[in-house]
Amino acid sequence: MAFIKLYREKLKENYQFLDSIFKERDIEWGVVTKLLCGNTIYLKEIIELGVTEMYDSRISNLKEIKKLNPNIVTAYIKPPSKRNIKRVVKFADVSFNTEIYTIKMLSEEAVKQKKTHKIIIMIEMGDLREGVLGEELLSFYEQVFSLPNIEIVGIGTNLNCLSGVMPTQDKLIQLSLYEQLIEAKFNVRIPWVSGGTSVAIPLLLKNARPMAVNHFRIGEALFFGKDIFTGETITGMHNDVFKLYAEVIEITEKPDNPIGELGENVAGNTYEIEEDTDLGQTSLRAILDIGLLDMQPQYLETDNPNITIVDASSDMMVVDISNSEKDYKIGDLVSFKLQYMGALYLLNSDYIEKVVE
């Protein structure tokens, strides 16, 4: 059975690295846990790190966090849907919002539940996902800041999530100016200017972050140590907090090319044989006990550089082990490093065992 493993010490070291750079700069931050898909084994590991804020895009995951530790500040990190209002107020201390209509519903529900619901107003900064347009921000704020049982605790933005717009220094300065405009016009204080996610960490390391930006939501950097600007691993961090292990269930020398009339495979792809291909060429192939139902091969990287991924069907993956120095046997495990989306597929699968080392 294939399984995904979390390495506790590597996670802890990544957390301590991030926590230190944020504390040095007097920045509050929370951990984005949506990657973990509500898995209580891994959520407990996050809580054990000493995290005080946890952010997720699924209400069911926030519910699990509150079960594990009701003192954790939970935040729902996408605009709530109408059908979710009651549960958002119940399980999320904070939610990200972009619609006046929705905030009014949150206010009404918070009154019913006798709670104060906190919100962060998300601002459109060019990535063209969620966000209030900048020219409409003051009018938007004016209509919601006095609603009963609603407390506006911050403004924020998301970048690099849809269109790939990067969080440059200029973008974050612009976000800071919005804070100043609101505070000056309404004589209020905005506690959090939430400057974004893991993609903005390189700006912090270069000390290029505007001082007003004092809050971050971090997921990918914690779990993968990735500098999203360069694609490299951040110096001092681990890129293998998670690994996939899949078992070898067949090893056979087989032709490199299929034999017979070709049509679409289960994934809708058609294999094409090039005219100058040596049809007699073979390779030593191993079949692993994992497939497209649980993962996507393009998000995996074999630990053994002499193994290449050939392709996968719904429940099995074929790898070429011809050049491997290790002599694989039936029952051996092949390990893979994971990209963010690779881990997300695996963690969302009920068929993949989750373990901790």
Side-chain angles (χ1 to χ4, degrees), residues 71-88:
N71 295 319
I72 295 285
V73 174
T74 53
Y76 186 65
I77 57 172
K78 64 180 180 181
S81 65
K82 183 177 179 179
R83 291 172 178 81
N84 257 341
I85 294 295
K86 184 176 181 179
R87 299 176 72 225
V88 167

Side-chain angles (χ1 to χ4, degrees), residues 58-187:
R58 298 287 187 271
I59 297 297
S60 59
N61 298 347
L62 296 178
K63 181 179 179 180
E64 289 301 319
I65 292 167
K66 284 296 190 185
K67 281 183 183 177
L68 294 171
N69 186 338
N71 295 319
I72 295 285
V73 174
T74 53
Y76 186 65
I77 57 172
K78 64 180 180 181
S81 65
K82 183 177 179 179
R83 291 172 178 81
N84 257 341
I85 294 295
K86 184 176 181 179
R87 299 176 72 225
V88 167
V89 173
K90 185 173 182 179
F91 298 113
D93 300 303
V94 186
S95 63
F96 290 12
N97 284 271
T98 61
E99 289 288 345
I100 292 168
Y101 178 77
T102 302
I103 300 172
K104 287 180 177 178
M105 287 193 294
L106 290 168
S107 171
E108 292 170 3
E109 183 59 38
V111 169
K112 291 178 184 177
Q113 295 189 28
K114 299 179 180 179
K115 297 174 68 174
T116 296
H117 185 72
K118 299 176 181 180
I119 68 169
I120 293 177
I121 299 173
M122 300 301 286
I123 303 171
E124 174 57 60
M125 301 283 289
D127 200 51
L128 303 181
R129 204 178 68 172
E130 84 282 16
V132 178
L133 295 175
E135 59 266 29
E136 298 175 1
L137 179 61
L138 293 180
S139 172
F140 186 98
Y141 186 91
E142 186 174 26
Q143 294 179 68
V144 299
F145 85 100
S146 60
L147 288 173
N149 294 57
I150 291 293
E151 180 184 355
I152 301 174
V153 295
I155 60 171
T157 192
N158 267 319
L159 295 166
N160 194 243
C161 292
L162 182 67
S163 303
V165 174
M166 302 302 280
T168 60
Q169 187 178 36
D170 287 345
K171 288 287 185 185
L172 296 187
I173 288 173
Q174 185 180 351
L175 181 63
S176 304
L177 291 174
Y178 286 132
E179 175 216 16
Q180 294 173 31
L181 283 170
I182 291 173
E183 291 185 340
K185 181 171 177 59
F186 297 99
N187 192 27

Side-chain angles (χ1 to χ4, degrees), residues 230-249:
T230 65
E232 302 296 321
T233 302
I234 297 170
T235 302
M237 299 193 76
H238 300 283
N239 64 5
D240 55 354
V241 169
F242 285 109
K243 279 193 178 180
L244 166 67
Y245 292 84
E247 185 175 328
V248 176
I249 56 176

Side-chain angles (χ1 to χ4, degrees), residues 189-209:
R189 178 178 173 269
I190 302 293
W192 287 349
V193 179
S194 196
T197 55
S198 298
V199 71
I201 286 178
L203 291 178
L204 298 183
L205 297 176
K206 295 175 183 176
N207 292 315
R209 174 252 339 177

